[in-house]
Amino acid sequence: MDHGGHGMHMDLPPFTLGRGLAFSGGDPFFLVGCVLLLVLYGWGALRLWRRGDRWPVGRTAAFVLGVLTVGVTMCTGLNDYGMVQFSVHMVQHMILSMLSPILLLLGAPVTLALRALPTAGRGRIGPRELLVKLLHSRYMRIVTHPAFTIPLFIASLYGLYFTPLFDTLMGSKVGHIAMMVHFLAVGLLFFWPIMGVDPGPHRPGYVMRMLELFAGMPFHAFFGIALMMASEPMVTTFKHPAASLGLDPLTDQTMAGGIAWAFSEIPSVIVLVALLFQWYTSEQRQARRSDRAADRDGDAELVAYNAYLASLEARGRG
């Protein structure tokens, strides 16, 4: 098995799940990136725990799982086969753009950073102050707005695979890395305002978040159907697979379309459940705040409302 080649020059045996999930070292860029993310997140969580602050174990588990999905996608045989087999590449794309971002965002890394990073002191600017400035910047307001995130999410499918851009990027190692980073970044930008776990400039209500979530999903289905219904291979990179793969390119493209069509349902359900849970807990917190306020002021709001009703009744009698 030649792992040193790139793109169509790789000579691999037929794909099996065992070969796909076997650790191959993959791309050092992603391997180092995954280790760095785990170390930084672990440092932040440990810093909070040491000073007696609580950090949910569930958030830590979600973030670690998110990093692991990136590692499995880019540091195993999946990355090798994704260079020569459209269906495997599509699995990579869907994981990096739709599953990994959701898990990473559920880990609330921005919130953790804001709580763990020390303040620089009066008149000084440190990492925490720079992060706060970025979160409140005009740039972040633009890139997290649905008018930007939804078209970008859609363009990552149609503008990439239905133009020569995909073949250009797959022609070099740097281009391939840039494309995979793009998938992950687009997913993070799309789901960040929808998930609402971390602070950000764009925070619509829960109903609007659900509308944003489902606004982009039909385009995934249409893209998948277009691939499945095509009568010839549409991407040059995968048009002539190596004989060792034992692969029919049109059949593999149809499978890739099916993966793109079906995969959008999984993250949609995960995000929808998360949104409904957040909505429920938000209502519960609001109810508890109202109860505490009523205890403090003797339910003055209710007393005032009853007095208002009584005055209306008195006017009616008069």
Side-chain angles (χ1 to χ4, degrees):
M1 185 183 298
D2 177 20
H3 292 279
H6 187 83
M8 293 177 289
H9 302 293
M10 297 184 72
D11 187 17
L12 300 170
F15 178 83
T16 63
L17 188 60
R19 288 170 180 159
L21 295 180
F23 179 75
S24 65
D27 200 304
F29 176 86
F30 281 94
L31 183 60
V32 172
C34 287
V35 172
L36 186 60
L37 284 175
L38 291 176
V39 169
L40 290 174
Y41 194 94
W43 172 85
L46 188 60
R47 183 177 173 84
L48 292 187
W49 291 332
R50 280 181 172 175
R51 72 185 187 204
D53 290 345
R54 179 178 174 271
W55 184 253
V57 175
R59 286 184 176 180
T60 303
F63 189 85
V64 171
L65 189 57
V67 174
L68 289 178
T69 59
V70 175
V72 168
T73 303
M74 296 305 302
C75 301
T76 65
L78 287 177
N79 193 45
D80 296 329
Y81 280 96
M83 300 297 299
V84 294
Q85 192 165 335
F86 201 179
S87 58
V88 179
H89 167 83
M90 192 57 65
V91 170
Q92 288 183 286
H93 183 166
M94 294 299 106
I95 291 175
L96 289 178
S97 66
M98 301 190 73
L99 181 59
S100 300
I102 293 172
L103 293 170
L104 292 172
L105 290 169
L106 284 174
V110 176
T111 302
L112 177 61
L114 290 173
R115 291 180 59 185
L117 288 171
T119 56
R122 182 176 298 180
R124 301 174 63 185
I125 297 178
R128 188 182 188 280
E129 288 72 22
L130 289 174
L131 178 58
V132 172
K133 187 175 181 180
L134 176 63
L135 290 173
H136 291 88
S137 67
R138 184 180 180 185
Y139 169 78
M140 290 304 297
R141 286 198 298 272
I142 293 173
V143 300
T144 60
H145 194 279
F148 180 86
T149 60
I150 294 174
L152 180 64
F153 192 69
I154 296 168
S156 293
L157 290 171
Y158 297 90
L160 185 65
Y161 293 100
F162 295 164
T163 69
L165 179 59
F166 180 82
D167 295 318
T168 300
L169 293 173
M170 289 290 282
S172 70
K173 188 173 183 177
V174 173
H176 181 248
I177 292 174
M179 178 169 56
M180 293 304 182
V181 171
H182 170 79
F183 291 155
L184 184 60
V186 167
L188 288 169
L189 287 176
F190 178 75
F191 288 110
W192 184 12
I194 294 174
M195 299 296 291
V197 178
D198 276 325
H202 179 66
R203 279 294 176 269
Y206 289 101
V207 175
M208 282 303 300
R209 292 185 201 178
M210 292 178 189
L211 291 176
E212 286 182 29
L213 171 64
F214 291 110
M217 295 309 151
F219 293 94
H220 258 269
F222 297 150
F223 169 75
I225 291 170
L227 289 179
M228 293 169 70
M229 295 184 65
S231 58
E232 61 180 24
M234 301 177 67
V235 180
T236 303
T237 298
F238 303 113
K239 199 168 187 177
H240 303 288
S244 61
L245 289 168
L247 196 67
D248 173 55
L250 187 58
T251 301
D252 189 56
Q253 177 176 281
T254 302
M255 186 179 297
I259 291 167
W261 174 66
F263 205 98
S264 62
E265 303 298 327
I266 301 172
S268 298
V269 171
I270 295 174
V271 174
L272 187 58
V273 170
L275 282 177
L276 291 174
F277 179 75
Q278 289 174 24
W279 197 350
Y280 171 76
T281 54
S282 176
E283 292 294 322
Q284 291 294 100
R285 284 195 300 269
Q286 182 61 40
R288 286 194 294 269
R289 281 196 293 267
S290 299
D291 290 341
R292 287 194 297 268
D295 291 338
R296 286 194 301 269
D297 58 20
D299 216 348
E301 185 178 349
L302 180 59
V303 172
Y305 181 67
N306 287 334
Y308 171 71
L309 292 178
S311 66
L312 291 179
E313 185 178 357
R315 288 178 194 173
R317 290 175 180 175

